[in-house]
Structures are given as C-alpha cells and as structure tokens.
Amino acid sequence: MAMKDGIVKRGNRWAFVVELPRDPATGRRRQKWFSGYATRREAVAAREQVRADLRSETYVERSRQSVHAFLDDWLAAIEPTIRPATMESYERYLRLHVRPRIGAVLLPDLDPVIINKMYAELLRSGRRDGNGGLKPRTVRYIHTILRRALRDAVRWGRLARNPVDLADPPGSAQAAAPEMATWDAATLGRFLELSRSSEDFYYPAWHFLATTALRRGEVLGLRWSDLSNDNRRVSIRQTLVCVSHRIEFSTPKTAKGRRAVVLDENTTDMLIGHRHGQAEAHRLLGVSSTEDLVFCLRDGRPIHPERFSREFDRRIQRWGLPRIRLHDLRHTWATLALEAGIHPKVVSERLGHANIGITLDTYSHVTRSMQEEAADRVAETIVRSNTGAEPYRRV
C-alpha cells in the first residue's frame, strides 16, 4: 500500500517513519520505523507523540538493554564518586532484592506498575530467610537507590522519564522508626561503674562514647593528634568503617560531620590516665603503632567495629542491664541533654547532624514534652504580667 504522510499499512497492522536528528558523528540522515499499530488513528497519534518528543528534545530511542545490564553500567560509573561502604550497600540491596525481581525487564518497559508490584512483594515476602517481608524503611531505601539509578538513566538519554518518580513506596507512617531505646542516667552510670570496677579493657572507649555522643566509627578512628593540647577538645577528622567485614579509615561524610567536640572535665581526666596506661602497655609489649589511635587493641591495631558492638552486647547481658544497641548510647546522651534543657541547636551540632530539623525529628519524643513545658511557662508569664493575678487553675 502506498505511504501517505509517512504512514503505511503492512498486512493488517499500521506503521510510520520519522526523521531523527542527523548522526552526530557522520552527519548522515537518519530515519526510524515504528510499527505494530492496530489502526491508522493509533499510528497517527503515536507519530505525533514521537515528533513532539523530538521537538522538545525528550525523545529517547528504545533500548534493548535490560535493567540488570543498566545497573551494571550504573554501578561501574558511580563507584569512583561514592564511599566504599555506600557502594557495598547499593550492590547488596540491588543484588538481593531488585535484580531477581525486575532485572530481566527491558529498561524502556519498566513502569510504575512493575515497580509497585516489586515493593509489594518485598513487603510481603522479601526476607532472605523466607520468613516474611522487609521493613517499610528498608523498602524505602531500595526505592531511593533505584530512583537515583534511573535518574541517571534519564540524564544519560536511556529513558525519557524516571518511572520511580511515579511509583509508591511505603508511606512515612509505615516506615516510621521503631520506638527509640535509651537508658536513663542511673542505668548508664551503673554500666560505666561496672565496666570501670571490673577493669574492663574497653572501659575508656565506653566512657568516651557515652559522654561525647560520637558515632562508633568516629570513636574508633580517633587519633591522639586529633586532641587539643589541653585534652578538652577533639576534632573529628577520621572515621573507621567496615566494608565487607574489612576495616578501612575514612573521613566524615559531610561538613557537619567534620566538627570539634568539647569534653567534660571527668572525660578529660580519664583520657589522660588512659594515654599513660596505653603508652606503658605499648612499651612493655614493644609495640610501635603508626596509627596513633586513642582506642585500639593491645598491639596497636584498630578495633573492628563489629567486635566493638559485640563486646558491648556481651557486657549488658552479663550485667543484666536493659537491652539497647551500642548506637543507642548516642541516643541516650542526646535524650539526657534535651531533658536537661540543653538547646537543640547545641545538641544537633554535637551529634554532627546536617541540620537541626533532623535532631528535632529524631528526638520528637523529648522535644514534645519540652514544648508542653514551654507553652505552660510562657502562658503563665503572660497571665501574671497582664493581671498580676494567679493563673487560672482547673478545679
């Protein structure tokens, strides 16, 4: 059948041809056929959409690349730009949860429906051991990785738009963090006293972590050269991270993470004693450590972060204390500080949060009671200043 307006009937289906931009390398003219339309009307509509995409420079030639192959390209491209621990995390979540479910799908065929079905399956039965689904927060993290990957696919001209932007990950209510577990001041004091009185090798590190609210990697990466001359201030410039169970030295992720933390007098005295004891132990053992670490093994080697956490778990179990994670010592410090009336901005800066909003969201269980107290105190002040009378009391 003769072609009219670039549209032709082939057998019982319709097809059309459009002019693509000239080949950038050779300058040659390029045409592309699109076929398989049931009616001429469908072919015309499809042709107009392609022409509109060409005019707006959003047209993307259909790729035969699978999601699996694209993710290989993407990971190789971003590896030099991200931290090894982040790279390991991306690779693991994509390998365990994304590739087995949508890896075989052609990149242009990936749509929000396919992605939402994957999220539903992960929530229902995504655990590796087969016992139930992943937590909503985990699925949201997978959503974040996939959105970043396909955003780059759009930038690289392999997709016209990002289908993940139209998908529906678990909502913030579903993904809410579990209730925070912290110790009160008495329990934390008992833990430190039990550790100190038993001459626990890890006591200096427990004490330092509990009174500074630093992260595990920040404590284990701390060097003596990071302390000020009077031992009252530490500069966070190096961290110890775990990548595939191997330990590596790194730097804080953000500018806020690279911060100075002031120490209390008791912690300063503890550090002075710890430094003398460590130096004497190294002398007796003939250790000449080049790492200059404040907290290390007896032979000067770094403490493995996972071992550090395990030792903490063993002690609280041995001493019958309420079960919390090592990281919860950081939450404990922040909670005690806010309850003591320390301004959230000060707490945020000490924790190394990117902004005070993170602090307020994380510790909303504390700041909510602070707001109630503030509301009562300010209202009482207003009433007294206006009338000089006692504030209204409920009967």
Side-chain angles (χ1 to χ4, degrees):
M1 183 176 181
M3 184 164 58
K4 180 181 179 182
D5 297 330
I7 297 178
V8 65
K9 190 172 186 180
R10 292 175 170 172
N12 62 350
R13 311 295 284 183
W14 291 84
F16 64 89
V17 63
V18 295
E19 291 279 342
L20 298 180
R22 290 184 177 272
D23 189 300
T26 65
R28 290 182 179 177
R29 179 186 179 192
R30 293 192 302 161
Q31 292 184 324
K32 182 173 180 63
W33 280 93
F34 297 81
S35 58
Y37 300 95
T39 66
R40 191 177 195 282
R41 184 190 297 271
E42 289 181 9
V44 170
R47 182 195 62 183
E48 294 309 307
Q49 181 61 57
V50 172
R51 286 179 173 178
D53 291 343
L54 286 168
R55 286 194 297 271
S56 62
E57 298 183 350
T58 59
Y59 171 75
V60 176
E61 290 191 59
R62 182 175 174 80
S63 169
R64 300 299 297 173
Q65 187 178 42
S66 67
V67 171
H68 185 95
F70 169 75
L71 291 175
D72 285 341
D73 289 349
W74 180 68
L75 289 171
I78 68 167
E79 184 172 12
T81 69
I82 61 176
R83 293 170 177 268
T86 304
M87 183 68 180
E88 181 197 22
S89 176
Y90 284 4
E91 286 183 324
R92 182 173 70 254
Y93 280 95
L94 291 173
R95 171 173 48 83
L96 294 177
H97 304 300
V98 176
R99 293 180 188 266
R101 292 170 174 84
I102 62 173
V105 177
L106 292 181
L107 194 60
D109 292 338
L110 192 60
D111 62 24
V113 174
I114 294 174
I115 296 169
N116 282 340
K117 286 181 178 178
M118 178 183 71
Y119 293 161
E121 182 181 341
L122 291 174
L123 289 168
R124 184 175 59 253
S125 57
R127 287 176 58 92
R128 292 178 62 189
D129 59 11
N131 296 324
L134 301 179
K135 294 179 180 178
R137 292 183 70 196
T138 303
V139 178
R140 283 185 67 84
Y141 180 59
I142 293 169
H143 170 82
T144 299
I145 298 171
L146 195 56
R147 181 172 58 188
R148 175 176 176 177
L150 297 188
R151 181 188 66 198
D152 287 339
V154 174
R155 287 198 306 116
W156 298 345
R158 301 192 189 182
L159 283 177
R161 57 188 61 84
N162 188 345
V164 181
D165 289 339
L166 302 175
D168 302 302
S172 56
Q174 286 178 275
E179 186 175 348
M180 189 176 296
T182 60
W183 281 340
D184 57 25
T187 304
L188 178 55
R190 175 167 169 73
F191 168 77
L192 293 178
E193 176 56 28
L194 286 168
S195 181
R196 187 193 63 79
S197 61
S198 63
E199 298 184 353
D200 186 352
F201 172 77
Y202 290 98
Y203 166 71
W206 304 142
H207 181 134
F208 189 83
L209 192 149
T211 59
T212 61
L214 298 186
R215 300 175 177 90
R216 178 181 68 178
E218 293 170 342
V219 171
L220 298 182
L222 192 69
R223 298 161 295 192
W224 289 112
S225 58
D226 295 326
L227 271 72
S228 61
N229 291 334
D230 62 359
N231 295 309
R232 287 302 304 272
R233 183 185 297 265
V234 295
S235 298
I236 309 304
R237 298 181 293 208
Q238 175 178 270
T239 63
L240 190 68
V241 297
C242 184
V243 180
S244 298
H245 303 292
R246 301 187 313 274
I247 54 175
E248 299 178 3
F249 289 106
S250 184
T251 56
K253 290 182 178 181
T254 65
K256 292 287 187 179
R258 294 184 289 275
R259 64 200 188 280
V261 174
V262 176
L263 306 180
D264 64 278
E265 187 175 344
N266 186 258
T267 299
T268 298
D269 292 342
M270 181 277 296
L271 277 180
I272 293 173
H274 171 60
R275 188 169 195 171
H276 289 319
Q278 185 187 79
E280 179 64 13
H282 285 180
R283 185 187 67 80
L284 292 174
L285 292 172
V287 173
S288 178
S289 175
T290 60
E291 302 293 354
D292 187 38
L293 295 174
V294 176
F295 306 107
C296 57
L297 298 175
R298 290 182 173 84
D299 59 6
R301 288 180 299 136
I303 299 171
H304 197 292
E306 293 176 359
R307 175 178 179 175
F308 193 51
S309 293
R310 286 197 302 271
E311 294 294 342
F312 177 77
D313 292 341
R314 287 174 182 147
R315 279 153 182 76
I316 62 175
Q317 183 175 9
R318 180 192 310 161
W319 296 328
L321 298 173
R323 175 76 174 89
I324 65 171
R325 303 167 304 162
L326 177 67
H327 189 73
D328 292 327
L329 288 182
R330 175 173 161 87
H331 293 318
T332 295
W333 186 94
T335 299
L336 293 174
L338 290 168
E339 288 176 343
I342 305 300
H343 195 287
K345 177 66 173 175
V346 176
V347 175
S348 179
E349 290 177 352
R350 191 175 183 92
L351 295 174
H353 284 167
N355 57 69
I356 192 174
I358 295 174
T359 309
L360 295 174
D361 288 343
T362 304
Y363 301 100
S364 59
H365 64 295
V366 184
T367 56
R368 188 180 304 114
S369 62
M370 292 170 62
Q371 288 189 36
E372 291 171 358
E373 181 183 357
D376 290 340
R377 289 175 62 183
V378 172
E380 185 169 334
T381 301
I382 293 170
V383 170
R384 287 185 186 279
S385 65
N386 272 346
T387 67
E390 286 294 318
Y392 174 78
R393 305 293 184 188
R394 293 182 190 174
V395 177

